[in-house]
Amino acid sequence: MLQRPAGALSSTPEQLARRARRAWLLFAVVALLIVTAALYGAGLYGRTAEIGTLAAQGRTDANLKVALLRAVLESPRALPLLLSADQQVRDALTQKNAAAIDVLNRKLEGLVSGTKASVLYVIDADGLAIASSNWREPISFVGNDYRFRDYFSGAMQAGTAEYFALGNVSKRPGLYISRRVGDAAAPLGVVVVKMEFDQLEADWREANRPAYVSDENGVVLITSVPSWRFMTTAPLAAPKQAAIRDSQQFGDAPLVPLPIMHPQALSPDVSIVHAVTPGGSDAQYLSLATPVPSTPWRLDYLIPAEAPIAAAVREMRLLALGVVVPLLGLAAYLLWRRQSAQMRIAAEQAARTELERRVVERTEDLSRARDRLQAEITGHRNTEAKLQVVQQDLVQANRLAILGQVAAGVAHEINQPVATIRAYADNARTFLDRKQTGPAEENLGAIAALTERIGSITEELKAFARKGRTAAEPVELRGVIEGAVMLLRSRFAGRLDALVVDLPLPSLKVMGNRVRLEQVLINLFQNALEALDGRDDAHVLVSVEETADCVTISVSDNGPGIPPAILKSLFTPFNTSKEKGLGLGLVISKDIVADYGGRIEVSSGDSGTRFTIHLQTAA
């Protein structure tokens, strides 16, 4: 009996399947968290990196714009300084006659055309403009009172001033740069140059990135978006707004805040804002603030950030997915491989356990089957032994039956030589009495021959009646046929002439036993002669043919043939058409021939029956 191995299964396939489902659920949750964290981190990193890139590019652009603005400012600033020391300016302010003013107007007109200044004009100590570069134009500044302007009062007090305001005559914004003429104790007037930034703003607009310059109050002075001019970067306090309106610095501008909302400071000078540009919708911008040197102004530069940041975030997230997903795939593969290995091991263990159980059951079944088979084999062997005994008894019975049939003929055969012997013996006595030894010796020789014949007949009967199966040996076929004919001669006396035998050569031998082969031939000859009983043209032809590997004995008769019903089971025991037959003769004959490696064939029809015996040729 097979025993279950000591190490029992730690987990069944069903338990492993449940654990695998829980593991995959946990893996899915962890993978989702990892992907979410990776996407969030990648998005944050991409956003930060792109903002840094945009800020670096923006600072470069903002510094260039500041440098350009300073270059635009520095050139006009030199004009008031030079004109404040010009003698013609001083003459016009001191003399105030038409000739001196006319000379100054023409001089100022010539200077404007060669510089980037918008207007040059001279104001006397009372604030009245006496000369201007636009003296020929309808909007000439000559004769206007500018005492209310801070750039006039500032220059009169401090010697110089810069003031951005909306022109009260031209209604155009610009930077007014003023310089006092004369010393502070006895000032003669002020020289003013007005600088406009139309070209600079046009250059800024080509970049399609909003940029604006605001003053110390947060009012937008210069901008690439014209509608943002004089708007504020933050709501102005009421007093401050009232003071600006009273000064008419920006005319009647509403001074409302810029459409820039939700600032998110990233550093002191960088922030993320949402702005609405004219004709556009709310968009996200990166705002950079840069001070303008030599002025109280500040430049704000807006860089569109929504699309670049979104693209950078998307790119980083795709990159993160490109890294995380293969790693998760590898982890999933390793998990699947580990679970598959565990499942395979568990399945193999389960299969091995089941196989062992089946082997135990099968072994028990086989043991029981073996016992039954041994009992059956023993029974079969006993039956076979009994059958062999019965078969030997049947063969012997058949032989004895044949012996009984031929006994009377054999007795007649013996009586004839015995009577002849008696006659020869009497004659020999007579010849001896007469002293005739020659005839007496002849009679004695005849008696000896007749005695040998009687001995051969009795030996044939004794051998034929002997019981038992003998091993195959070379047997002279001619003697077998002659012996069978001799044993049948007495029974079929007077009818044996129908038996025509073509005897083979004495040298032809077959494998078998003479007595048993005679029994086969006696059966066939007897059946043929009995089938021809009462026929005048009866004949039985016996022929022998030798081939390369066997000898064929044919027994043919011209009888009525064997009925089909009998022919189909001709070699079945107890199948016979004779009233007193047992139906065993052909069965025994077939077994005898088969014992010596041969076979019997039969063919029958209306013209007769033919039995063919195939025997092995003796070497």
Side-chain angles (χ1 to χ4, degrees):
M1 297 291 288
L2 294 177
Q3 300 295 328
R4 183 180 296 274
L9 289 177
S10 60
S11 299
T12 63
E14 292 75 14
Q15 293 173 336
L16 287 177
R18 289 193 294 270
R19 292 180 186 174
R21 286 193 291 270
R22 290 195 296 269
W24 281 114
L25 180 61
L26 179 61
F27 179 81
V29 173
V30 173
L32 181 61
L33 292 176
I34 292 176
V35 170
T36 302
L39 291 177
Y40 177 78
L44 186 62
Y45 176 79
R47 176 185 175 84
T48 303
E50 185 62 22
I51 288 175
T53 302
L54 292 176
Q57 295 176 353
R59 285 191 182 92
T60 302
D61 294 343
N63 291 334
L64 290 176
K65 292 182 184 299
V66 169
L68 181 60
L69 177 58
R70 290 188 61 189
V72 172
L73 290 174
E74 291 303 324
S75 178
R77 281 176 174 171
L79 288 175
L81 177 61
L82 295 174
L83 289 175
S84 64
D86 186 77
Q87 188 59 42
Q88 291 178 340
V89 174
R90 289 178 177 272
D91 291 344
L93 287 174
T94 55
Q95 298 175 9
K96 294 184 179 180
N97 55 35
I101 292 174
D102 183 63
V103 171
L104 183 57
N105 282 331
R106 294 181 184 278
K107 184 175 184 175
L108 296 177
E109 184 179 22
L111 288 174
V112 167
S113 61
T115 64
K116 294 181 180 180
S118 175
V119 180
L120 278 172
Y121 57 100
V122 178
I123 304 172
D124 61 11
D126 296 326
L128 187 66
I130 62 172
S132 175
S133 61
N134 60 357
W135 62 280
R136 298 178 186 273
E137 300 176 6
I139 58 171
S140 171
F141 290 177
V142 177
N144 292 325
D145 187 0
Y146 292 101
R147 284 180 296 177
F148 68 94
R149 289 296 194 182
D150 287 349
Y151 60 80
F152 173 75
S153 58
M156 291 293 287
Q157 295 174 4
T160 182
E162 292 185 359
Y163 186 67
F164 196 98
L166 183 68
N168 62 328
V169 176
S170 64
K171 303 301 180 183
R172 294 175 58 83
L175 176 63
Y176 295 87
I177 303 172
S178 59
R179 186 83 178 184
R180 185 181 62 208
V181 181
D183 54 18
L188 300 177
V190 175
V191 177
V192 182
V193 58
K194 181 182 180 182
M195 182 64 190
E196 295 182 359
F197 301 94
D198 294 344
Q199 185 60 44
L200 180 66
E201 291 176 340
D203 293 339
W204 287 1
R205 278 195 293 271
E206 291 179 357
N208 291 324
R209 292 183 175 182
Y212 58 90
V213 177
S214 57
D215 62 9
E216 66 275 13
N217 295 321
V219 179
V220 176
L221 306 178
I222 306 169
T223 175
S224 61
V225 183
S227 61
W228 287 4
R229 184 175 286 110
F230 302 147
M231 300 182 78
T232 60
T233 57
L236 295 176
K240 175 64 68 176
Q241 187 173 14
I244 292 174
R245 291 191 183 281
D246 290 342
S247 68
Q248 297 184 10
Q249 181 179 3
F250 307 114
D252 54 358
L255 301 177
V256 295
L258 288 167
I260 298 176
M261 303 155 288
H262 313 301
Q264 177 186 354
L266 303 178
S267 66
D269 59 344
V270 180
S271 61
I272 295 292
V273 299
H274 289 264
V276 179
T277 56
S281 58
D282 183 7
Q284 190 179 65
Y285 292 87
L286 181 67
S287 176
L288 289 93
T290 303
V292 180
S294 72
T295 69
W297 299 346
R298 187 186 74 179
L299 172 70
D300 286 273
Y301 185 45
L302 302 183
I303 304 171
E306 190 168 356
I309 290 177
V313 168
R314 182 169 57 253
E315 182 179 354
M316 290 306 299
R317 284 177 175 172
L318 289 176
L319 181 60
L321 288 177
V323 174
V324 171
V325 169
L327 292 177
L328 290 177
L330 178 60
Y333 170 74
L334 294 177
L335 177 61
W336 170 82
R337 185 175 179 181
R338 179 174 178 272
Q339 291 178 349
S340 298
Q342 291 178 343
M343 188 68 71
R344 184 174 61 255
I345 293 173
E348 290 175 355
Q349 290 177 343
R352 186 161 50 249
T353 302
E354 178 65 16
L355 179 61
E356 291 173 355
R357 183 186 65 80
R358 292 185 179 182
V359 166
V360 170
E361 294 177 354
R362 186 59 177 166
T363 303
E364 294 175 354
D365 294 341
L366 290 176
S367 298
R368 290 191 292 268
R370 179 199 60 196
D371 296 339
R372 290 195 301 269
L373 183 59
Q374 287 178 347
E376 292 177 0
I377 291 173
T378 303
H380 289 165
R381 287 176 178 173
N382 294 335
T383 302
E384 183 179 359
K386 292 178 181 179
L387 288 176
Q388 289 178 355
V389 173
V390 171
Q391 185 179 15
Q392 291 293 331
D393 292 342
L394 289 175
V395 171
Q396 183 66 16
N398 179 262
R399 187 182 297 117
L400 294 176
I402 295 173
L403 184 62
Q405 293 175 357
V406 300
V410 170
H412 178 72
E413 289 288 335
I414 293 175
N415 287 334
Q416 286 180 349
V418 167
T420 305
I421 289 172
R422 183 177 180 83
Y424 280 134
D426 292 340
N427 292 335
R429 184 180 297 114
T430 300
F431 287 134
L432 288 174
D433 292 339
R434 296 175 181 178
K435 304 299 181 180
Q436 294 178 348
T437 58
E441 289 179 357
E442 290 179 1
N443 287 340
L444 290 176
I447 290 171
L450 291 172
T451 304
E452 289 179 358
R453 181 176 180 184
I454 293 172
S456 64
I457 292 173
T458 57
E459 286 298 324
E460 289 288 343
L461 288 174
K462 287 168 63 178
F464 192 77
R466 190 176 297 115
K467 183 178 179 181
R469 175 181 297 179
T470 58
E473 59 183 4
V475 176
E476 183 181 331
L477 184 57
R478 183 185 184 106
V480 173
I481 298 174
E482 289 176 341
V485 172
M486 184 186 67
L487 289 174
L488 290 174
R489 180 175 294 124
S490 60
R491 181 182 175 196
F492 293 97
R495 289 188 291 166
L496 208 58
D497 294 340
L499 186 63
V500 179
V501 180
D502 184 8
L503 291 173
L505 295 175
S507 61
L508 181 60
K509 295 182 179 181
V510 296
M511 294 302 296
N513 176 267
R514 175 171 178 172
V515 174
R516 301 189 74 194
L517 293 179
E518 283 181 357
Q519 183 177 354
V520 173
L521 294 179
I522 288 171
N523 272 313
L524 296 181
F525 295 167
Q526 179 178 285
N527 289 341
L529 292 172
E530 289 177 350
L532 298 174
D533 190 20
R535 295 177 66 101
D536 296 335
D537 59 345
H539 71 272
V540 177
L541 178 61
V542 179
S543 62
V544 178
E545 181 180 356
E546 183 181 7
T547 61
D549 57 351
C550 70
V551 174
T552 302
I553 306 171
S554 299
V555 181
S556 305
D557 64 63
N558 61 341
I562 303 174
I566 301 297
L567 184 63
K568 289 195 304 183
S569 55
L570 188 63
F571 295 99
T572 302
F574 310 110
N575 179 38
T576 181
S577 60
K578 302 177 184 177
E579 293 182 0
K580 298 182 180 180
L582 295 177
L584 296 174
L586 291 177
V587 176
I588 294 173
S589 298
K590 181 179 179 181
D591 290 342
I592 292 173
V593 173
D595 284 344
Y596 300 130
R599 66 183 188 277
I600 296 179
E601 298 174 351
V602 60
S603 60
S604 181
D606 296 338
S607 59
T609 301
R610 178 187 179 94
F611 283 88
T612 304
I613 304 173
H614 299 275
L615 295 174
Q616 292 182 357
T617 304

